[in-house]
C-alpha cells in the first residue's frame, strides 16, 4: 500500500505543478489585459480632458484676441466693416480669420482678408497686416494705391499742418464717370473743424460717412511727407450702426471708443490708441475733424467743386448702382 502511494506522489506533484503554471499564466494575462484596459481608459480620459481644456482655454483666448480688433475697427477704416470671425484651434494655439468689406451707400465691396495667430501663453493676437497694404501704381507722377483684392482705389489724405509737394484733386474726374455709379471720395480740409461745423459746411445731398480726426502731435508731422493712407487714420463712422441713420456718432462717443481701445488687452492697438487719444483731446476745442469721407453719385459729388475749405480730394472705391 505504501509503495502504491509513493508511486502516486510524482504524478500528483507533476499534475499540481502544471495546473499551478496554467493558473499563474491566466492570472498574468488577466493582469496584463486589465492594465492595458485601464491604461487605455485613462489615456482616453486624459486625451478627452486635455482636448476639452485646450478648447476651453483657446476659446477664451480667441475672444480676447477678437475683442480688440472689433474695438479698433470703431476708430479706424473708412466705410470698412468686419465680417463674422472664424476660429481654428490646434494645440495651445489657434488662428482667427475674418474678412473686411466696404460699404458704399447700400452696396458691398469685398476688401480684405486677415489671419491673426494667437496662443494661450501670450493671451493676445499677433497683429498681421492683410491686403490693406495695397498695390502702389505711378499715375502721372503721383503715387496711387489700389486694393489688391477688389482692384479699387484707396483714398489718400493730407494733414492741414503739413506742406506737401503736391496735392491731388480728383473732383474733375467726376465729369468722366458714369451716372449709374456710387462713388467714394476722401476730402482733406484746410484746418480742423468741429463735427457740427462740418455738417453745416457740406452741401445738401452729400453723404458724409466717415470723419477723419486729428490724432497727430507736432513731433509726428513733417513737411514734404507723403500723403496718408486711409487705413492709417483714426476717425469714426457717421452712425454707430451699419445701414442705419438713427444713431449718430458724436465726438464724445469717438473719444470713449478711443479710451476703450487704449485699455484693451492688445498692446499694439492700446499703445497707438493711447497716443491718438492724447492728440485728439488736445484738438477737441479748436476742432478735431480735419477730413471726411463722402459717398454719392457723380452729380451729387459735383457740388463739392470750388469749395475753399477742401485742400485735397482723392477718389476711393466705386460700385455700380444696379
Amino acid at each position: 500500500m505504501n509503495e502504491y502511494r509513493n508511486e502516486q506522489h510524482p504524478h500528483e506533484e507533476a499534475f499540481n505543478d502544471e495546473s499551478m503554471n496554467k493558473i499563474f499564466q491566466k492570472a498574468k494575462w488577466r493582469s496584463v489585459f486589465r492594465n492595458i484596459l485601464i491604461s487605455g481608459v485613462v489615456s482616453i480620459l486624459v486625451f478627452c480632458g486635455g482636448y476639452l481644456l485646450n478648447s476651453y482655454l483657446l476659446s477664451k483666448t480667441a475672444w480676447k484676441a477678437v475683442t480688440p480688433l472689433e474695438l479698433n475697427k470703431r476708430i479706424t477704416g473708412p466705410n470698412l466693416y468686419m465680417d463674422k470671425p472664424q476660429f481654428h484651434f490646434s494645440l495651445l494655439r489657434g488662428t482667427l480669420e475674418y474678412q473686411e468689406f466696404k460699404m458704399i451707400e447700400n452696396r458691398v465691396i469685398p476688401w480684405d482678408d486677415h489671419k491673426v495667430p494667437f496662443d494661450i501663453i501670450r493671451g493676445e493676437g499677433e497683429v498681421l497686416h492683410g491686403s490693406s497694404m495695397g498695390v502702389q501704381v505711378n499715375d502721372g507722377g503721383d503715387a496711387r494705391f489700389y486694393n489688391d483684392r477688389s482692384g479699387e482705389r484707396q483714398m489718400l489724405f493730407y494733414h492741414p499742418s503739413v506742406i506737401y509737394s503736391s496735392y491731388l484733386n480728383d473732383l474733375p474726374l467726376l465729369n468722366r464717370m458714369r451716372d449709374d455709379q456710387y462713388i467714394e471720395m476722401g476730402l482733406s480740409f484746410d484746418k480742423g473743424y468741429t463735427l457740427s461745423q462740418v455738417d453745416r459746411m457740406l452741401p445738401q445731398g452729400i453723404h458724409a460717412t466717415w470723419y477723419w480726426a486729428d490724432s497727430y502731435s507736432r513731433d509726428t508731422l513733417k513737411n514734404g511727407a507723403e500723403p496718408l493712407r486711409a487705413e492709417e487714420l483714426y476717425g469714426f463712422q457717421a452712425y454707430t450702426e451699419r445701414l442705419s441713420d438713427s444713431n449718430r456718432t458724436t465726438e464724445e462717443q469717438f473719444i470713449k471708443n478711443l479710451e476703450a481701445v487704449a485699455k484693451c488687452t492688445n498692446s499694439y492697438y492700446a499703445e497707438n490708441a493711447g497716443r491718438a487719444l492724447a492728440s485728439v483731446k488736445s484738438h477737441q476745442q479748436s476742432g478735431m475733424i480735419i477730413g471726411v469721407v463722402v459717398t454719392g453719385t457723380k452729380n451729387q459729388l459735383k457740388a463739392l467743386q470750388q469749395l475753399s475749405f477742401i485742400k485735397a480730394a482723392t477718389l476711393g472705391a466705386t460700385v455700380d448702382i444696379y
Side-chain angles (χ1 to χ4, degrees):
M1 178 64 88
N2 290 334
E3 292 180 1
Y4 175 79
R5 290 178 177 175
N6 291 336
E7 290 177 358
Q8 294 298 319
H9 285 312
H11 296 286
E12 291 177 358
E13 291 176 358
F15 174 79
N16 291 336
D17 290 342
E18 183 178 353
S19 299
M20 292 301 294
N21 286 334
K22 290 182 179 179
I23 292 173
F24 286 142
Q25 288 293 330
K26 288 182 180 179
K28 179 181 178 181
W29 283 111
R30 285 175 182 173
S31 177
V32 170
F33 289 139
R34 183 172 62 251
N35 291 337
I36 292 175
L37 180 61
I38 293 173
S39 298
V41 171
V42 171
S43 298
I44 293 173
L45 291 176
V46 170
F47 176 81
C48 292
Y51 175 82
L52 293 175
L53 179 62
N54 183 71
S55 299
Y56 172 74
L57 294 176
L58 281 175
S59 179
K60 291 185 65 176
T61 306
W63 286 111
K64 287 182 180 179
V66 75
T67 298
L69 295 174
E70 293 177 334
L71 291 174
N72 193 67
K73 187 52 60 183
R74 298 178 186 177
I75 60 174
T76 58
N79 299 334
L80 287 176
Y81 299 89
M82 287 181 61
D83 201 358
K84 294 181 180 179
Q86 300 291 325
F87 301 119
H88 304 280
F89 297 157
S90 58
L91 182 61
L92 301 180
R93 65 181 64 245
T95 303
L96 162 66
E97 295 184 4
Y98 68 95
Q99 291 76 41
E100 285 183 322
F101 60 91
K102 184 178 282 285
M103 291 290 300
I104 308 297
E105 296 290 324
N106 58 353
R107 294 292 181 266
V108 176
I109 301 176
W111 199 255
D112 214 343
D113 296 313
H114 292 274
K115 290 185 178 181
V116 181
F118 59 88
D119 58 66
I120 293 175
I121 298 174
R122 290 187 305 139
E124 67 176 36
E126 178 183 351
V127 178
L128 296 180
H129 296 289
S131 62
S132 59
M133 298 302 292
V135 177
Q136 181 175 345
V137 176
N138 187 290
D139 185 4
D142 294 311
R144 298 274 191 171
F145 292 88
Y146 291 81
N147 181 272
D148 60 4
R149 181 175 178 181
S150 64
E152 297 290 340
R153 295 192 189 206
Q154 296 179 327
M155 295 172 289
L156 297 173
F157 291 81
Y158 298 77
H159 195 281
S161 299
V162 176
I163 300 175
Y164 297 88
S165 57
S166 62
Y167 295 83
L168 285 172
N169 178 20
D170 288 339
L171 289 172
L173 294 178
L174 295 172
N175 296 321
R176 298 160 52 185
M177 302 186 73
R178 304 198 318 265
D179 294 330
D180 60 344
Q181 286 182 312
Y182 287 133
I183 302 164
E184 177 188 53
M185 187 163 285
L187 308 179
S188 302
F189 295 158
D190 59 345
K191 63 176 184 178
Y193 297 92
T194 65
L195 181 59
S196 59
Q197 286 176 326
V198 173
D199 290 341
R200 290 195 301 268
M201 290 158 49
L202 292 175
Q204 290 187 350
I206 300 296
H207 299 159
T209 59
W210 193 84
Y211 296 89
W212 177 25
D214 192 351
S215 60
Y216 303 89
S217 63
R218 292 183 178 180
D219 296 336
T220 60
L221 299 174
K222 295 181 180 179
N223 290 332
E226 295 296 322
L228 300 163
R229 307 260 303 280
E231 286 77 7
E232 302 169 340
L233 310 181
Y234 285 96
F236 54 95
Q237 308 287 358
Y239 298 95
T240 58
E241 298 293 334
R242 181 171 58 89
L243 298 180
S244 172
D245 56 1
S246 58
N247 296 318
R248 186 67 186 274
T249 307
T250 63
E251 294 174 339
E252 290 73 19
Q253 182 60 55
F254 169 61
I255 291 177
K256 288 181 180 179
N257 290 338
L258 270 173
E259 291 172 342
V261 179
K263 297 176 183 178
C264 77
T265 57
N266 189 298
S267 57
Y268 176 84
Y269 290 134
E271 291 174 5
N272 288 334
R275 287 190 291 267
L277 177 63
S279 297
V280 167
K281 285 185 174 181
S282 68
H283 299 298
Q284 187 176 9
Q285 296 300 321
S286 58
M288 69 163 69
I289 309 300
I290 55 176
V292 67
V293 175
V294 297
T295 61
T297 63
K298 78 171 190 178
N299 290 327
Q300 290 172 327
L301 297 185
K302 281 182 179 180
L304 298 169
Q305 294 174 340
Q306 309 305 321
L307 294 178
S308 60
F309 62 87
I310 296 178
K311 194 173 183 179
T314 61
L315 186 65
T318 60
V319 62
D320 292 339
I321 295 177
Y322 305 108

